[in-house]
Amino acid sequence: MYLYKTGIPLIDREFGGLRAATNILILAPPLAYAEHLAYRIACPLPGEWTVAITTDERAADVAGAFRRQGAVMNHVGFIDAVTKTSVPTLRDTTKAKFVTSPLDLTSMGIKFSRMVEDMWKEGVMADPPGPMPPPVRLCINSVSTLLLYARLEVTFKFLHVITNRVKKLEGVGVYVLNRESFDERTIATIKQLMNMVVEVRTDDGRQPVERDFRVVGIRGRTTPWIRYLYDDGALTIEG
């Protein structure tokens, strides 16, 4: 089975990476830079592809974040639910597609499927050809915004379709959710769709602010807490 390297030393060293057909929820408080953890996990390695669905930032800004992670940018596609609000004349390209708002879940799902199909075609025609099926990573930042625009039941149905699609693609999906904005019922409902959870915590009582995370449910285990730093666009993970 294909293993997806994460850029997290402990995970890659002890587990070899993430198994194909895995969906991961990053559950974090505000101002934890959890989206950059998501971008690290979703960053494609040579021969891999990534689709980033962004409801919080413009595609141009997310592209910059992936570029700083070292991604090969012609293997990253973006579905942007932010920019078209202010620039309604934007047209889709092969690697950047736009929807009118985070409420347009139907268009988001359709464009995700089309983008993956295009990536598979490119993967099959590559010289030399890469792994088959072409490994695909998905990142959604953020589920919190989807829940602000749509009812829990509607968001759950959309994510159910997307997470199943990731499983069928033998890919990896990463989803960011602000744990302090929603009740336990909402969080528990979204967790049902996931194979594992990355729990993020912060200690605002120290200077500089300390942040760390642990992975719950990887091969039936929970990792120790792992410290990370985010400074001036650079994410550093200890261990």
Side-chain angles (χ1 to χ4, degrees):
M1 176 179 287
Y2 190 84
L3 291 174
Y4 289 82
K5 299 294 183 181
T6 64
I8 300 171
L10 176 66
I11 302 301
D12 295 339
R13 183 176 63 248
E14 294 196 13
F15 300 94
L18 299 173
R19 289 174 176 168
T22 295
N23 287 291
I24 310 143
L25 180 66
I26 298 183
L27 202 55
L31 304 177
Y33 301 107
E35 68 274 19
H36 294 281
L37 277 177
Y39 300 153
R40 170 66 62 86
I41 297 170
C43 187
L45 296 180
E48 299 179 351
W49 306 80
T50 291
V51 177
I53 299 178
T54 173
T55 64
D56 287 6
E57 301 179 273
R58 297 178 309 139
D61 296 327
V62 180
F66 272 96
R67 198 172 286 111
R68 288 189 292 273
Q69 298 280 3
V72 177
M73 295 309 295
N74 63 353
H75 277 219
V76 183
F78 303 92
I79 299 172
D80 180 332
V82 176
T83 309
K84 201 160 188 173
T85 303
S86 55
V87 189
T89 56
L90 277 173
R91 294 182 178 274
D92 288 352
T93 67
T94 304
K95 293 297 192 302
K97 302 189 185 300
F98 302 90
V99 299
T100 54
S101 81
L103 187 59
D104 194 357
L105 299 178
T106 299
S107 293
M108 226 177 276
I110 291 170
K111 294 189 179 192
F112 170 62
S113 295
R114 287 177 181 168
M115 187 170 280
V116 168
E117 287 173 9
D118 290 341
M119 289 175 169
W120 271 49
K121 289 175 185 176
E122 287 189 49
V124 169
M125 296 174 66
D127 186 18
M132 287 299 297
V136 176
R137 305 186 191 220
L138 167 69
C139 176
I140 296 184
N141 181 41
S142 71
V143 174
S144 307
T145 304
L146 299 181
L147 287 166
L148 291 175
Y149 276 79
R151 299 190 316 275
L152 173 59
E153 294 76 10
V154 174
T155 302
F156 179 87
K157 183 177 180 181
F158 169 73
L159 290 175
H160 186 264
V161 171
I162 293 293
T163 52
N164 276 334
R165 180 79 168 132
V166 167
K167 290 176 182 177
K168 290 178 181 177
L169 291 168
E170 297 183 17
V172 161
V174 190
Y175 314 82
V176 182
L177 178 60
N178 179 347
R179 70 167 187 241
E180 293 184 6
S181 297
F182 304 96
D183 59 24
E184 287 302 319
R185 172 178 171 269
T186 298
I187 293 171
T189 300
I190 301 301
K191 276 184 176 180
Q192 291 178 40
L193 300 169
M194 305 295 160
N195 302 97
M196 63 185 69
V197 176
V198 174
E199 296 178 345
V200 179
R201 67 182 183 183
T202 63
D203 185 348
D204 295 335
R206 301 187 184 185
Q207 293 298 325
V209 174
E210 294 189 356
R211 301 177 176 89
D212 48 14
F213 68 93
R214 65 181 180 182
V215 184
V216 180
I218 181 166
R219 315 285 205 280
R221 293 168 53 189
T222 297
T223 69
W225 289 99
I226 303 166
R227 181 66 46 81
Y228 72 98
L229 305 169
Y230 181 78
D231 182 51
D232 195 26
L235 179 72
T236 304
I237 299 176
E238 297 181 359

